[in-house]
Structure formats: structure tokens, C-alpha cells
Amino acid sequence: MSKEQLEEGSDLQLQFEKRGGLLPVIVQDAASLQILMLGYANMEAFKKSLHLGKATFWSTSREKLWTKGETSGDYLEIVEIRVDCDQDAILYLVMPQGEGACHTKNAAGESRVSCFYRYVDEQNSLQGVPGVA
């Protein structure tokens, strides 16, 4: 497949082999547009997401397939799937079904809506970061 066909064509040609079989999946709330999490999908996880209509990933830490919400009940119902120009990154627009998308809890013991709950600025961002003077 040519670069032009990949970038401009209408055929879905996800580039799993480009990154060792996994593609990054950005998960975004379809209503608020808040970024909820980043996961990874192999071909099997992508196909299961399509079949179930729920966000399914390849767990890089546990090295197994998992559908978000299986244990927590916090499913991510897929509304729309988009693929970037190089077909090597995926975006799931979802409707969250539960308390939150993150597996961590806040100080009150509540599920976090998004995994992106930390804020970084110049004052606190450079300490302890390797290679940053």
C-alpha cells in the first residue's frame, strides 16, 4: 500500500506491525470531549471493541486482553471510532457507563473520571525528570 493510499484512501489498514502489534488508543468522552485515558490495542482487542461496542484493550502490564469495566462496572460504551492519518493511532469516542474511567481513586475513595488528573507547570515539572536540567 502506498503512503497516499494509507493516508488518503478509504480502506482501513491499521498499522499494528509498525509498533510491535500494539496501537495507542486515546479514549475521549463523546459529550464533554474530556480525554479519559490512554490504552493500547492489538488486533484482537480492536475487533472485540467493534463486536462488543465497549472499549477493549491489551494490558501491557498484565499481558492480556481486558474490556474496561469488567471488574469495576465502569464500562466505556463506544459511540465512534476514528483513526489518525497514518493509521497508527486510534481514538474511541465513548459514553462512560459508571463512576469513572481511571482505575485509581481520589482522596475520598471515589473513582476518578479521567486518568489525566495531574497538572504540571514549570514550577513543579522539572524536578526529578531525567535529562532535564
Side-chain angles (χ1 to χ4, degrees), residues 14-70:
L14 294 174
Q15 302 295 297
F16 288 104
E17 72 285 347
K18 192 174 182 179
R19 291 199 169 83
L22 297 176
L23 293 183
V25 181
I26 301 163
V27 181
Q28 185 175 24
D29 186 304
S32 71
L33 301 182
Q34 181 178 19
I35 301 296
L36 302 178
M37 62 175 283
L38 171 70
Y40 295 90
N42 59 10
M43 180 61 84
E44 183 181 6
F46 183 73
K47 286 180 178 180
K48 190 169 181 182
S49 294
L50 285 172
H51 176 73
L52 293 177
K54 293 182 178 9
T56 301
F57 305 94
W58 176 259
S59 172
T60 57
S61 60
R62 294 176 284 163
E63 295 190 10
K64 69 177 198 170
L65 207 63
W66 63 282
T67 299
K68 174 68 179 121
E70 285 175 326

